[in-house]
Amino acid sequence: MALRARALYDFRSENPGEISLREHEVLSLCSEQDIEGWLEGVNSRGDRGLFPASYVQVLRAPAAEPPPARYANVPAGGFDPLPPPAAFKPAAPEPFAPPAAGCPFPPAPYGGSYQPSQGSDDDWDDDWDDSSTVADEPGALGSSYPDYEAAGGGAASGRYRLSTRSELSLGSRGGGGHLPGHPHPPGGSAAKSSATVSRNLNRFSTFVKSGGEAFVLGEASGFVKDGDKLCVVLGPRGPEWQENPYPFQCSIEDPTKQTKFKGMKSYIAYKLVPSHTGQQVHRRYKHFDWLYGRLAEKFPVISVPHLPEKQATGRFEEDFISKRRKGLAWWMDHMCSHPVLAQCDAFQHFLTCPSTDEKAWKQGKRKAEKDEMVGANFFLTISVPAGPGAGLDLQEVESQVDGFKAFTKKMDESALQLNHTANEFARKQVTGFKKEYQKVGHSFKCLSQAFELDQQAFSAGLNQAIAFTGEAYDAIGDLFADQPRQDLDPVMDLLALYQGHLANFPDIIHVQKGALTKVKESKRHVEEGKMELQKAEGIQERCNIISFATLAEINHFHKIRVRDFKSQMQHFLQQQILFFQKVTQKLEEALHKYDSV
Amino acid sequence: MALRARALYDFRSENPGEISLREHEVLSLCSEQDIEGWLEGVNSRGDRGLFPASYVQVLRAPAAEPPPARYANVPAGGFDPLPPPAAFKPAAPEPFAPPAAGCPFPPAPYGGSYQPSQGSDDDWDDDWDDSSTVADEPGALGSSYPDYEAAGGGAASGRYRLSTRSELSLGSRGGGGHLPGHPHPPGGSAAKSSATVSRNLNRFSTFVKSGGEAFVLGEASGFVKDGDKLCVVLGPRGPEWQENPYPFQCSIEDPTKQTKFKGMKSYIAYKLVPSHTGQQVHRRYKHFDWLYGRLAEKFPVISVPHLPEKQATGRFEEDFISKRRKGLAWWMDHMCSHPVLAQCDAFQHFLTCPSTDEKAWKQGKRKAEKDEMVGANFFLTISVPAGPGAGLDLQEVESQVDGFKAFTKKMDESALQLNHTANEFARKQVTGFKKEYQKVGHSFKCLSQAFELDQQAFSAGLNQAIAFTGEAYDAIGDLFADQPRQDLDPVMDLLALYQGHLANFPDIIHVQKGALTKVKESKRHVEEGKMELQKAEGIQERCNIISFATLAEINHFHKIRVRDFKSQMQHFLQQQILFFQKVTQKLEEALHKYDSV
């Protein structure tokens, strides 16, 4: 049958390859399958090209097929699969709001942020040309990634504009730097845990959502394979994650623009070379994001590093690509440095699955999405020091965690301030400092030009020396403008990564605190005769596991923090020294020009 | 008789030693003799102290004595002494305007700027306690210096505020950086030359005022002593002033605050040590200013360096004193470097007369003021290369002078721009640059404070290193703020001096052009039979002298310009290099703190 669609709104083509639509106009579709939210078709004027899928309503009979099982990977331990949310009915969508006129990116259908998409293969069809039946569902197609690399950030392109508190809060866990339409909304997990037996009144509490409560109450159960087992050991500074016996690193290089869909849509692929395989793989930002989503769901008390921020405009610009590559490299460094994250199956799949083997990728991806050891069950995989006296002192833990909480608050404040200062300092160097030095350079050049009118042969040397001095100051202005890239940008990259971690910790602390509260409650209940001692001991034992894991995570954070800030401060100072040496050298060159005057 | 005065305005005491006055109040005067515009007396409340002389009217019978001969030093050569201007009648003054409320300095009596005072000893009485009868004249006493170091400049105290064209024009010749009440108004010389026979319609033309016209027309005459003779010789680059056979320098050091009038009034004296005598003398700014006035009057085609600007407020502040000392040192350097100025009697008197020998000073001062070899007569003292072919080619001279005129215009523009840039650059370093580096320092310190909450002994070294880095950036901010004093201030001092020279040259060029025009006129007149050939030849001969002198002055200007700008650019760059090396050193110290972390 000829595929047709009716335009729901006017759309004005703004880029090559796009076609304009008029409201109510009927179009022929080349394919029903959208690519990142775009469809290809022919409009009533005979123009062929792309337009936003959400701007049109596909004209055909309602699908008879049942919706796919979208929560197939919900862990079995106490979670009843929910019926698919209403938004997933396969009928053509009612867009939630008329799109802004001339908006180059289609609005996210279904109000985006309440649409969980983890585990739904259809999001990936545009990449792997998957021909699953799910992909034939209109409206739902590509719905969670349409404005993926497209949306976010807003107008100003990143660097040296002011960061505000609200921008940073976008980077907090859960919402996690993710915009409407993103696959990791907090509502998603909340819906999952609503089926658990729980005594916590707040259904949206992280303690509940993370599975921490379910675990403490002994409701998590599952078979822990050997490969899934994690150890917390007692190190000199307290509980620590057992070191990765096979540590590795992974480089991220050569971001290259790749095209698809007859060259009309492009994306950037990064070359990853993990040191333990030496085999390069190519990954897109969306692959990183998929992985991030899986890990954030799986590990309730591990701070999964946030990905570098998204950006709407200029995402193919060299600066942005280079900045994102650096951000991803930082992210990768933190992933590889974390004993638990580094060894996690999903991450290993991401690092090692050959880019060309689509089948293997999909298998690994499905496996990760079906992983049962997530949330509450994750805690089952943790083994902690056992035996008499190995249990942690509750008050001691509470004091340590409280201390860490105060620390993170202060560090967050100072990181915010340093980030703001660095951003402003960079901006001043790129604008004001450069301008001031170049104005000095210009004035010297003008003076030398004036002096050239002096008709005095004996002063020609001086005139040239002054002109050279002018050029030196001009060059110094350029050095100032180039410098932030060398020193302040890496500092800000580091701060961004740590701001992500700091945004993760309140939830981690919340889980640990929730567990502690349960222990206290259970003790009271035992005293009041409302609970069996054995049950209360079980709660305390499981809380002990959460405490061990939390302290191990805190220790890991301090370890990498000291490592990172030391090396970054050194790098910053080295670059600053190099910079001032370059400036000095320019001035010395200029000074020597006067020797022969 | 008891001296009394009536207050003309309210005056509010604002400083120790001053007393308040109420309008119409009658006061007893301790002395009729004012000190820099202040009188001492007892008010109706019995308070004894100082108040502005111009705020009161002395109550007594009008003076019967005739006014002193104020123009005794007007050269005899064709200048008829004028009657003293009306403003000099000894009656009590009608102040020109009510003073601003609470103004700490009395307004200049007599509207100041139209009151020539050269050659009037009474201006000096406050310094040498001269008891001449003139000094007993009320109202006129100290009238030309009352707001001497007090007035000028306005509110902002000099450095790093924006220079404007109008400020700079204050520094032009004649008006010469002098404020109302100053002894060198252009009107003074104009009045003098009004008695000369002249064909120039513009009575205020510099050519006329300088005496250039009178000389060219052969109206100057006088006996030239051997010691007064000046030679222009032909050097490799054209006419040059004959070198000073006994070159010397003179240091200006140790500005010290000295007091008088029972310690209630203070002034700054500078220690001068000329290298050719090795004898130190002390001079006040007003002595420099007196000398400047004499020289500017005496030498029509020599660019007498301008004195550093006056300043109303904060004239005892260290910064101002230090800045003025440097400005006077620059001025002194240019004086000593100039073959004619350096050897001039008035300057030698200024340099060598012992500060303690008041009589000798007064003698030399009177002699200088009675010097007949000023203006038109000055040209009589110049001898130029003689003999066949030694005369300058008129067209050649005209072209050279035109070229120099274009040069000065361009140099003036670029000096103005460089001065503006340097001022702004200095201001930015003192404010913005300092602030930016210190904000970075503060942010690092905050980060280290946050890190100190980490409860981790192993990171104490890092925390200290980051705190040290914060201090280093704080110190770098201070270095930036201190730096302009080392490098940009001297550049601006030099520019100010040259801007003074550049403001002098239009008048010098005007005199030379006026002479050339007279030659052309006389040639035409000869052709038309309206003038005798001999007279025209005389005019051409005298014009030749002016041209030689002008070209010698231009050559001297270029010579010292190249010398000064070379050394100043070298100094500037050396200081900048030192500065950046200091910054680098601070950063290296900070970097090393991380070695042991």
Side-chain angles (χ1 to χ4, degrees):
Chain A
M1 99 188 198
L3 288 166
R4 288 187 312 148
R6 186 187 301 278
L8 296 165
Y9 316 102
D10 284 345
F11 171 72
R12 198 149 55 87
S13 147
E14 295 204 329
N15 293 296
E18 295 170 5
I19 56 170
S20 294
L21 309 182
R22 271 204 304 256
E23 193 179 336
H24 306 310
E25 166 176 15
V26 174
L27 307 105
S28 323
L29 297 182
C30 304
S31 158
E32 229 175 325
Q33 191 173 326
D34 81 4
I35 307 296
E36 295 197 347
W38 296 80
L39 285 171
E40 192 182 19
V42 180
N43 68 11
S44 56
R45 287 167 302 287
D47 301 332
R48 182 178 177 137
L50 299 173
F51 48 86
S54 59
Y55 277 59
V56 302
Q57 185 174 22
V58 176
L59 301 171
R60 60 185 195 97
E65 300 158 78
R70 293 196 174 255
Y71 286 93
N73 65 326
V74 169
F79 297 106
D80 295 326
L82 288 173
F88 274 84
K89 67 172 191 268
E94 267 296 302
F96 58 99
C103 166
F105 303 105
Y110 300 118
S113 60
Y114 296 102
Q115 181 193 23
S117 68
Q118 300 101 311
S120 160
D121 280 339
D122 53 8
D123 305 330
W124 299 84
D125 297 339
D126 52 335
D127 272 314
W128 292 285
D129 301 309
D130 188 275
S131 56
S132 79
T133 52
V134 183
D136 292 324
E137 297 295 333
L141 293 175
S143 53
S144 64
Y145 284 90
D147 50 353
Y148 204 57
E149 290 177 334
S157 63
R159 280 287 174 209
Y160 312 151
R161 71 193 161 95
L162 292 184
S163 308
T164 62
R165 198 71 186 117
S166 64
E167 274 178 57
L168 290 166
S169 69
L170 279 176
S172 68
R173 194 179 171 93
H178 300 130
L179 292 143
H182 192 272
H184 317 299
S189 343
K192 257 179 281 171
S193 63
S194 67
T196 61
V197 180
S198 165
R199 289 177 188 89
N200 195 308
L201 289 175
N202 182 0
R203 299 291 76 215
F204 300 97
S205 126
T206 313
F207 180 47
V208 178
K209 287 189 290 169
S210 67
E213 188 186 56
F215 171 71
V216 169
L217 296 179
E219 287 156 359
S221 71
F223 174 71
V224 181
K225 288 170 288 183
D226 274 358
D228 284 343
K229 279 185 185 149
L230 298 170
C231 272
V232 178
V233 295
L234 268 175
R237 297 193 297 267
E240 286 176 10
W241 296 114
Q242 191 166 49
E243 287 288 333
N244 181 0
Y246 308 106
F248 64 92
Q249 284 151 5
C250 178
S251 64
I252 302 186
E253 301 290 344
D254 301 343
T256 46
K257 194 168 176 174
Q258 304 193 351
T259 56
K260 60 177 182 173
F261 208 62
K262 295 169 188 162
M264 288 197 281
K265 288 289 162 190
S266 311
Y267 58 89
I268 302 295
Y270 301 86
K271 187 179 87 183
L272 278 56
V273 186
S275 64
H276 59 325
T277 65
Q279 297 297 315
Q280 71 176 55
V281 296
H282 287 89
R283 298 288 180 251
R284 290 178 59 179
Y285 182 83
K286 62 192 286 180
H287 301 146
F288 285 88
D289 201 62
W290 167 82
L291 178 63
Y292 172 83
R294 298 261 52 79
L295 302 172
E297 188 188 356
K298 181 173 169 72
F299 300 114
V301 291
I302 286 176
S303 175
V304 181
H306 290 206
L307 290 168
E309 60 174 329
K310 295 184 180 61
Q311 179 164 322
T313 52
R315 70 187 199 276
F316 295 129
E317 283 168 16
E318 224 168 280
D319 268 7
F320 171 71
I321 293 167
S322 151
K323 189 189 162 214
R324 172 169 278 181
R325 190 198 64 75
K326 283 182 206 153
L328 291 174
W330 272 112
W331 179 88
M332 182 61 85
D333 174 66
H334 272 218
M335 287 295 297
C336 297
S337 302
H338 197 290
V340 178
L341 294 175
Q343 297 178 81
C344 142
D345 283 347
F347 184 47
Q348 286 298 328
H349 173 61
F350 171 88
L351 290 176
T352 56
C353 179
S355 326
T356 46
D357 190 342
E358 286 169 23
K359 199 175 161 192
W361 172 263
K362 197 169 280 283
Q363 270 181 348
K365 183 168 171 288
R366 288 218 173 103
K367 187 176 162 235
E369 284 157 1
K370 283 178 184 154
D371 182 5
E372 294 190 353
M373 294 295 112
V374 305
N377 288 5
F378 160 72
F379 292 110
L380 297 173
T381 65
I382 301 173
S383 58
V384 300
L392 294 166
D393 178 74
L394 287 190
Q395 275 198 316
E396 178 67 22
V397 172
E398 197 164 15
S399 146
Q400 279 187 44
V401 171
D402 283 346
F404 183 70
K405 193 176 169 184
F407 166 80
T408 54
K409 190 169 171 291
K410 193 91 195 269
M411 178 172 169
D412 193 39
E413 284 165 13
S414 62
L416 184 74
Q417 193 197 28
L418 180 56
N419 188 65
H420 176 85
T421 304
N423 210 319
E424 265 298 279
F425 189 41
R427 200 176 61 79
K428 289 273 166 67
Q429 288 184 65
V430 171
T431 57
F433 283 44
K434 173 181 175 179
K435 207 173 71 188
E436 288 307 317
Y437 281 88
Q438 295 195 338
K439 276 199 290 191
V440 172
H442 179 70
S443 293
F444 282 143
K445 282 191 238 170
C446 285
L447 187 69
S448 87
Q449 280 160 16
F451 280 6
E452 274 162 24
L453 290 185
D454 68 358
Q455 309 173 308
Q456 305 286 325
F458 75 103
S459 70
L462 174 69
N463 303 347
Q464 283 157 22
I466 296 177
F468 189 89
T469 308
E471 281 159 29
Y473 273 82
D474 210 47
I476 291 170
D478 284 335
L479 286 177
F480 264 103
D482 289 344
Q483 192 51 21
R485 199 189 300 266
Q486 314 302 326
D487 48 31
L488 289 167
D489 281 8
V491 168
M492 286 189 278
D493 288 341
L494 182 76
L495 289 173
L497 192 70
Y498 273 85
Q499 283 174 318
H501 282 305
L502 292 170
N504 288 343
F505 273 104
D507 282 354
I508 293 171
I509 290 168
H510 187 78
V511 171
Q512 198 277 333
K513 290 244 164 200
L516 269 184
T517 306
K518 289 288 166 221
V519 173
K520 289 175 190 166
E521 268 179 36
S522 64
K523 282 184 174 166
R524 203 172 57 242
H525 289 171
V526 170
E527 284 165 19
E528 291 165 1
K530 292 181 191 164
M531 191 185 275
E532 292 165 24
L533 184 62
Q534 195 188 0
K535 188 170 183 190
E537 280 172 355
I539 287 175
Q540 181 159 353
E541 207 173 276
R542 288 184 292 272
C543 173
N544 192 51
I545 289 174
I546 292 185
S547 296
F548 264 111
T550 305
L551 293 181
E553 186 61 17
I554 288 174
N555 267 330
H556 176 73
F557 175 78
H558 281 312
K559 201 170 124 187
I560 55 160
R561 173 182 64 82
V562 170
R563 177 200 72 177
D564 285 349
F565 277 85
K566 178 189 171 180
S567 83
Q568 197 51 63
M569 289 301 290
Q570 286 177 316
H571 176 262
F572 175 75
L573 288 169
Q574 281 156 353
Q575 291 298 320
Q576 283 267 290
I577 289 166
L578 271 176
F579 165 70
F580 284 111
Q581 284 171 342
K582 273 189 278 183
V583 170
T584 306
Q585 199 189 326
K586 285 268 169 223
L587 295 170
E588 279 168 348
E589 284 169 22
L591 179 60
H592 290 149
K593 296 282 170 187
Y594 293 85
D595 293 346
S596 53
V597 172
Chain B
M1 100 188 196
L3 288 166
R4 290 187 310 150
R6 185 187 302 278
L8 296 166
Y9 317 101
D10 284 345
F11 172 72
R12 198 151 54 87
S13 149
E14 296 205 329
N15 294 296
E18 295 171 5
I19 56 170
S20 295
L21 308 182
R22 272 206 303 257
E23 194 180 336
H24 306 311
E25 166 176 18
V26 174
L27 307 107
S28 322
L29 297 183
C30 303
S31 158
E32 231 175 325
Q33 191 173 324
D34 81 6
I35 306 295
E36 294 195 350
W38 296 79
L39 286 171
E40 192 183 18
V42 180
N43 67 12
S44 55
R45 288 168 301 288
D47 301 332
R48 183 181 175 134
L50 298 174
F51 49 85
S54 59
Y55 277 58
V56 303
Q57 186 174 21
V58 177
L59 300 171
R60 59 182 196 99
E65 300 158 78
R70 291 193 175 257
Y71 285 93
N73 66 327
V74 170
F79 296 106
D80 293 328
L82 289 173
F88 274 84
K89 66 171 188 270
E94 268 297 303
F96 57 100
C103 166
F105 303 105
Y110 302 117
S113 59
Y114 296 104
Q115 181 195 24
S117 70
Q118 300 101 312
S120 159
D121 279 341
D122 53 9
D123 305 331
W124 299 83
D125 297 338
D126 52 337
D127 272 315
W128 292 287
D129 302 307
D130 189 275
S131 56
S132 78
T133 51
V134 183
D136 292 323
E137 297 294 333
L141 294 174
S143 53
S144 64
Y145 285 92
D147 51 352
Y148 203 55
E149 290 177 334
S157 63
R159 278 290 171 208
Y160 311 152
R161 70 195 162 94
L162 291 185
S163 308
T164 62
R165 197 69 186 122
S166 64
E167 274 178 58
L168 291 166
S169 70
L170 279 176
S172 68
R173 194 182 172 89
H178 301 130
L179 290 142
H182 192 271
H184 317 298
S189 345
K192 258 181 280 172
S193 61
S194 67
T196 61
V197 181
S198 167
R199 290 180 188 88
N200 195 307
L201 288 176
N202 183 358
R203 297 295 74 215
F204 301 97
S205 126
T206 313
F207 181 46
V208 178
K209 288 189 290 169
S210 67
E213 187 186 58
F215 171 70
V216 169
L217 297 177
E219 287 156 357
S221 71
F223 175 70
V224 181
K225 289 171 288 182
D226 274 359
D228 285 342
K229 279 184 185 152
L230 298 169
C231 272
V232 178
V233 296
L234 268 175
R237 296 193 298 266
E240 286 177 8
W241 295 113
Q242 191 165 49
E243 287 289 334
N244 180 0
Y246 308 106
F248 64 92
Q249 284 151 7
C250 178
S251 64
I252 302 185
E253 301 292 344
D254 300 343
T256 45
K257 194 170 176 173
Q258 305 195 348
T259 55
K260 61 178 181 174
F261 208 62
K262 296 167 188 165
M264 287 196 283
K265 287 289 162 189
S266 312
Y267 58 90
I268 302 296
Y270 300 86
K271 187 178 85 181
L272 278 57
V273 185
S275 64
H276 59 325
T277 66
Q279 298 297 315
Q280 71 175 56
V281 296
H282 286 91
R283 298 286 181 251
R284 291 179 58 181
Y285 182 81
K286 63 192 285 179
H287 301 146
F288 285 88
D289 201 62
W290 167 80
L291 178 62
Y292 172 82
R294 299 261 53 77
L295 301 173
E297 188 188 357
K298 181 174 169 69
F299 299 113
V301 291
I302 286 175
S303 177
V304 181
H306 290 204
L307 290 169
E309 59 174 328
K310 294 183 182 63
Q311 179 164 322
T313 52
R315 69 187 199 277
F316 297 127
E317 283 167 15
E318 224 169 283
D319 269 8
F320 172 69
I321 293 167
S322 152
K323 188 190 162 214
R324 171 169 279 182
R325 190 198 64 75
K326 284 183 205 151
L328 291 174
W330 272 111
W331 178 88
M332 183 60 85
D333 175 66
H334 271 218
M335 287 295 296
C336 297
S337 302
H338 197 291
V340 176
L341 295 174
Q343 298 179 80
C344 144
D345 284 348
F347 184 48
Q348 286 299 325
H349 173 61
F350 172 88
L351 290 177
T352 57
C353 181
S355 323
T356 47
D357 191 342
E358 286 170 21
K359 199 176 161 191
W361 172 264
K362 197 168 279 284
Q363 271 182 347
K365 182 167 171 290
R366 287 217 173 105
K367 188 176 160 232
E369 283 158 0
K370 283 176 184 157
D371 182 4
E372 294 191 352
M373 294 295 111
V374 305
N377 288 4
F378 161 72
F379 292 111
L380 297 173
T381 66
I382 300 172
S383 58
V384 299
L392 293 165
D393 178 76
L394 288 189
Q395 275 198 316
E396 177 65 23
V397 172
E398 198 164 13
S399 145
Q400 280 187 44
V401 171
D402 283 346
F404 183 69
K405 193 175 167 183
F407 166 79
T408 54
K409 189 168 172 293
K410 193 92 194 270
M411 178 172 170
D412 193 40
E413 284 165 12
S414 61
L416 184 74
Q417 193 198 28
L418 180 55
N419 188 65
H420 176 85
T421 303
N423 210 320
E424 265 298 278
F425 189 42
R427 200 176 62 79
K428 290 273 167 66
Q429 287 183 68
V430 171
T431 57
F433 282 45
K434 173 182 175 177
K435 206 174 72 191
E436 289 307 317
Y437 281 89
Q438 295 196 339
K439 276 199 292 193
V440 172
H442 179 71
S443 293
F444 281 144
K445 281 191 241 172
C446 285
L447 187 70
S448 87
Q449 280 159 17
F451 279 7
E452 275 162 24
L453 291 185
D454 67 359
Q455 308 172 308
Q456 305 288 323
F458 76 102
S459 70
L462 174 68
N463 304 347
Q464 283 158 22
I466 296 177
F468 189 90
T469 309
E471 280 160 31
Y473 273 82
D474 211 46
I476 291 171
D478 285 334
L479 286 178
F480 265 104
D482 289 343
Q483 192 51 23
R485 200 189 299 267
Q486 315 301 328
D487 49 30
L488 288 167
D489 280 8
V491 168
M492 286 190 277
D493 289 340
L494 182 76
L495 289 173
L497 193 70
Y498 273 85
Q499 284 174 317
H501 282 304
L502 292 169
N504 288 343
F505 273 105
D507 281 355
I508 294 172
I509 290 167
H510 187 78
V511 170
Q512 198 277 333
K513 290 246 165 199
L516 269 183
T517 306
K518 287 290 167 219
V519 172
K520 288 175 190 165
E521 268 178 36
S522 65
K523 281 185 175 165
R524 203 170 58 241
H525 289 169
V526 170
E527 282 165 18
E528 292 166 359
K530 292 181 191 165
M531 191 185 275
E532 292 166 25
L533 183 63
Q534 198 189 357
K535 188 171 182 187
E537 280 172 356
I539 287 174
Q540 180 158 356
E541 207 171 277
R542 287 184 292 272
C543 173
N544 191 51
I545 288 173
I546 292 184
S547 296
F548 263 111
T550 305
L551 293 182
E553 186 60 18
I554 288 174
N555 266 331
H556 176 72
F557 175 78
H558 281 311
K559 200 170 125 187
I560 56 161
R561 173 181 64 82
V562 170
R563 179 200 70 176
D564 285 349
F565 276 85
K566 178 188 171 181
S567 83
Q568 197 50 63
M569 289 300 291
Q570 285 176 316
H571 177 264
F572 175 75
L573 288 169
Q574 281 155 355
Q575 291 297 321
Q576 284 267 289
I577 289 166
L578 271 175
F579 164 70
F580 285 111
Q581 283 170 344
K582 274 190 279 183
V583 170
T584 307
Q585 201 190 324
K586 285 268 168 224
L587 295 170
E588 279 167 349
E589 284 169 23
L591 179 61
H592 290 149
K593 296 281 169 187
Y594 293 85
D595 292 348
S596 53
V597 172

